[in-house]
Amino acid sequence: MYADQETIRRILTESGDTWAVVGLSSNQGRAAYRVAEVLQRFGKRVVPVHPKAETVHGEQGYPSLDAIPFDVDVVDVFVNSELAGKVADEAVSIGAKAVWFQLGVIDEQAYGRTRAAGLDMVMDRCPAIEIPQLT
């Protein structure tokens, strides 16, 4: 319902290659770390967004979306559902083209607001699972 194949394809192939990954840190045991590796293998620039602002996978991290000094195409969200809506609203405010809520991250109101603002959005899916199926 929140992830039709056309929207998934459009985000992964047409929305742009700069992905801000909210919740990405240098913790190799976290899913965000592994998903970011896959996105990089498929040519995406992965920008870590985490309060620690760590460099991850060779990319400088930032403490928040609005601290990133360049355009972001897609915001990939690895935070709890309770916090995800705020991140989606920030994605709209920085001019992102799309928002991707990871597996288990669900906020129907945020989905509605984000779509109403004109952004593509996928919820409760993983781009690292979807992107290999497109090639």
Side-chain angles (χ1 to χ4, degrees):
M1 178 173 174
Y2 297 107
D4 66 90
Q5 285 305 119
E6 178 56 31
T7 302
I8 289 170
R9 186 199 60 71
R10 189 169 48 250
I11 292 173
L12 291 171
T13 64
E14 297 175 18
S15 291
D17 291 332
T18 301
W19 286 52
V21 181
V22 179
L24 175 58
S25 71
S26 61
N27 183 342
Q28 295 180 22
R30 304 287 302 196
Y33 189 90
R34 294 183 306 277
V35 169
E37 280 183 316
V38 172
L39 290 170
Q40 279 189 324
R41 270 201 316 270
F42 282 87
K44 306 300 182 191
R45 178 181 185 189
V46 173
V47 181
V49 179
H50 189 279
K52 294 180 181 178
E54 299 172 306
T55 296
V56 183
H57 299 307
E59 286 286 345
Q60 169 64 47
Y62 296 90
S64 62
L65 288 173
D66 62 1
I68 300 172
F70 46 83
D71 290 341
V72 168
D73 300 311
V74 181
V75 175
D76 189 4
V77 182
F78 275 94
V79 299
N80 293 330
S81 296
E82 300 78 38
L83 304 173
K86 181 177 183 273
V87 176
D89 295 339
E90 291 170 2
V92 171
S93 73
I94 67 162
K97 298 174 189 162
V99 174
W100 192 297
F101 279 10
Q102 283 292 327
L103 291 169
V105 180
I106 299 170
D107 182 331
E108 293 179 6
Q109 288 77 27
Y111 181 88
R113 289 193 310 271
T114 304
R115 295 291 295 134
L119 281 70
D120 278 332
M121 184 164 179
V122 169
M123 188 163 66
D124 194 27
R125 297 293 276 271
C126 179
I129 293 170
E130 303 294 336
I131 199 165
Q133 298 175 26
L134 297 176
T135 58

